[in-house]
Amino acid sequence: MPGRLIAIGDIHGCHKEFADLLDKLDLKKDDRLILLGDLINRGPDSGKVVELAREHATVSLLGNHELRHLNYRRTDDPTHLKKYDYATIDQLRGKDWDYLENMKLTYEDEEFGVVFVHGGFLPDRPWQKQPARIVTRIQNVEKGEAKKRSEAPDAPHWSELWSGPPFVVYGHTPRDDVYKTKWALGIDTACVMGGALTAYILPEKRIVQVKAREAYYKGG
């Protein structure tokens, strides 16, 4: 029997919940674990999350929070950072930064007809050619442009316009529950804000969750 293909949504430094979910998943050696980005920031220990990722993940995808830190590292320009980023910088060691540097934008499995990404894709152009600034940050789409929900709150979410194939599994847009459209599934269920950490398992198309132990971040 081939192993399972498992995606986990945004962890955001919630290392205890990540460990809880790994225990619940009981990974086997043939399983592939895909982390959908935003491993770091906001939660209690980004360094421990990256340590667990190095140990267990097949692939970790680049999220907008990793991208921001990497841009700061490359430019030494503090305007890339937010206040809570400095706590994360203190938690990350050299091999953690190496891990972030090697994150991929997407992961495709042709057998299941699925692509994994942090944020998503603009629906009117080939997904393979879209840059990091779009695929790590997109939420809504207004006049063909990628926007944050806060920038265009009345515009449709990209997943509602995505007509596939492929089927896309993504994080980045936190919601109270998983968000299923015909050709996409959002699995950021706001663990760091007191929600849940969610895994999606193929081929059985099963959702596994652990509740957050507490709300670590209030937003803003």
Side-chain angles (χ1 to χ4, degrees), residues 126-180:
W127 65 265
Q128 301 96 327
K129 297 180 179 176
Q130 298 187 36
R133 63 183 168 78
I134 290 175
V135 303
T136 65
R137 293 178 173 139
I138 188 171
Q139 289 178 321
N140 293 357
V141 179
E142 185 178 62
K143 297 178 182 174
E145 297 296 324
K147 300 288 184 181
K148 295 179 183 178
R149 279 192 297 190
S150 57
E151 294 171 332
D154 298 324
H157 193 263
W158 73 268
S159 64
E160 294 159 9
L161 305 172
W162 183 256
S163 57
F167 188 85
V168 179
V169 179
Y170 65 96
H172 183 57
T173 301
R175 299 183 175 96
D176 292 338
D177 203 353
V178 296
Y179 187 68
K180 176 86 163 61

Side-chain angles (χ1 to χ4, degrees), residues 12-13 38-42 46 50 65-66 69 88 92 100:
H12 275 305
D38 282 5
L39 279 62
I40 63 171
N41 278 356
R42 297 178 172 169
S46 296
V50 177
H65 284 257
E66 287 89 11
H69 278 270
T88 299
L92 298 178
L100 268 56

Side-chain angles (χ1 to χ4, degrees), residues 1-4 28-31 111-112 202-204:
M1 283 286 290
R4 301 171 296 171
K28 305 294 190 281
K29 69 177 178 62
D30 291 337
D31 292 338
E111 180 189 351
F112 291 125
L202 291 167
E204 59 258 48

